[in-house]
Amino acid sequence: MVTSEELPVDVRSCVDTSSIVRQRSTPAKPAVELVDWSAFGRVLPILAASPGAGATSVAVAIADALQLAGRSVLLVDAGDPVRSGLGRAARADGPRRDGPGPAAGVRFSRRARALLARLDVSETAAEPVMFPPPPYWHPGGCSVDVTVVDIGHDPWRLTTDPAVGPGQWLRAGSPSPIPALVVRPTVPGLAHAEQVLARLAPWVQSGAVTPPTQLLAVGARRWPKGVAGTAGRRTSVLLADTVFFPHVRGVAVRGVTADVTSPSLRSPAEHLLRSWHVLPPRTRLLSLRRQRIARGRDRSVSNRDTG
């Protein structure tokens, strides 16, 4: 298993702390204006339709698949620190950048070769916490190919105003973000997803945000019998292209750690990234090579059994 210790990288060499003043002087744009996302590469916001849906494990699997494919990845944890699933995703904390106010900032760390940026809130802050706008989350000292954002599971806060809070990561811009909605493969899970999409609808109609057009279901290989038929008007059009992620007992018990996620989680993540054209399509030659390797393993097991 690959660990962060096997891929040591100095975080401070990548995070440009001298750009703090410049970032502070950049105000958040009104939600109706398009955002220039080019500094973040392709932005992949991962939303959770309900608590415990699995958005964090999906976001990490996507980030790991990207970094193992040689991409420069920024993994953003935009959720409240007390509810964050990425608190143990790095072996050590890196430098902190203050946000618009000193109460909230961004903590940069390393997760293998990916750069992890987490919301850092002072426990003794006496003033209201201002969520740092996206420019504060960019390290400034290195280029980013893809930004994967674990937005969190508070749809009420998310959809109140996309000009503030984590909803800023959904704002329409260039290149256009590719949001995905993580659901439980259950009747209540689809109901929660329908509610999130309904609350986002006014902002989508105004052109302020990019809507999720992809469902990701965690804990099943297909929709259980009787579940898909309960989908609402908005979720029903997304059912056919749902990507399913397996239940991984280790992640369920221990949470996300500094170890790179297992192939069982990265495999659907890679499929998803290729369908989004974030990763190139798998070539026929590579597929045939993998088939030959698999057949060779099968023969080896068969020979041992017969012997």
Side-chain angles (χ1 to χ4, degrees):
M1 179 177 292
V2 183
T3 66
S4 297
E5 292 178 341
E6 295 177 79
L7 298 170
V9 180
D10 182 9
V11 181
R12 295 183 183 275
S13 65
C14 187
V15 179
D16 182 8
T17 55
S18 65
S19 64
I20 296 175
V21 175
R22 183 177 67 254
Q23 299 285 8
R24 282 178 177 170
S25 64
T26 305
K29 298 180 181 179
V32 294
E33 296 185 11
L34 296 180
V35 178
D36 180 8
W37 291 114
S38 57
F40 291 93
R42 297 310 304 265
V43 178
L44 312 180
I46 308 300
L47 296 74
S50 59
T56 296
S57 59
V58 167
V60 171
I62 292 173
D64 287 351
L66 285 164
Q67 64 164 312
L68 291 176
R71 301 299 188 271
S72 173
V73 183
L74 174 64
L75 176 59
V76 171
D77 180 9
D80 294 335
V82 295
R83 295 186 291 179
S84 170
L86 293 176
R88 298 170 59 239
R91 298 195 181 279
D93 288 337
R96 184 185 191 273
R97 170 183 293 161
D98 286 340
V106 178
R107 178 77 63 181
F108 293 94
S109 307
R110 273 289 178 184
R111 174 181 169 76
R113 288 197 173 110
L115 190 63
L116 172 63
R118 293 182 289 125
L119 184 63
D120 189 280
V121 178
S122 173
E123 296 180 357
T124 60
E127 61 184 78
V129 174
M130 297 177 62
F131 185 85
Y136 287 85
W137 297 81
H138 195 283
C142 53
S143 62
V144 176
D145 295 327
V146 185
T147 299
V148 183
V149 187
D150 180 12
I151 288 187
H153 59 254
D154 190 348
W156 295 95
R157 178 188 178 198
L158 176 69
T159 57
T160 298
D161 187 349
V164 297
Q168 295 175 83
W169 290 102
L170 295 174
R171 288 169 58 186
S174 177
S176 180
I178 311 176
L181 184 58
V182 180
V183 302
R184 293 175 175 174
T186 63
V187 173
L190 284 181
H192 293 148
E194 185 73 16
Q195 293 169 9
V196 172
L197 295 176
R199 287 188 60 80
L200 283 173
W203 298 107
V204 173
Q205 293 171 1
S206 69
V209 304
T210 305
T213 57
Q214 181 77 59
L215 288 183
L216 310 178
V218 177
R221 295 183 177 181
R222 62 183 64 85
W223 290 111
K225 184 177 180 180
V227 172
T230 67
R233 176 172 58 88
R234 295 175 177 85
T235 51
S236 60
V237 298
L238 307 178
L239 290 179
D241 296 326
T242 302
V243 175
F244 294 90
F245 285 75
H247 172 82
V248 178
R249 187 175 183 276
V251 175
V253 173
R254 295 185 295 271
V256 174
T257 67
D259 294 325
V260 175
T261 47
S262 65
S264 62
L265 273 177
R266 296 201 311 270
S267 179
E270 291 177 5
H271 171 77
L272 183 67
L273 291 166
R274 296 184 197 283
S275 70
W276 286 343
H277 303 290
V278 177
L279 288 180
R282 182 176 288 113
T283 63
R284 175 176 172 79
L285 179 61
L286 180 59
S287 298
L288 292 174
R289 186 179 302 166
R290 290 185 175 180
Q291 290 175 16
R292 286 197 295 269
I293 293 174
R295 286 196 295 268
R297 288 174 179 169
D298 292 341
R299 294 193 194 99
S300 177
V301 173
S302 177
N303 291 337
R304 287 200 301 269
D305 292 341
T306 57

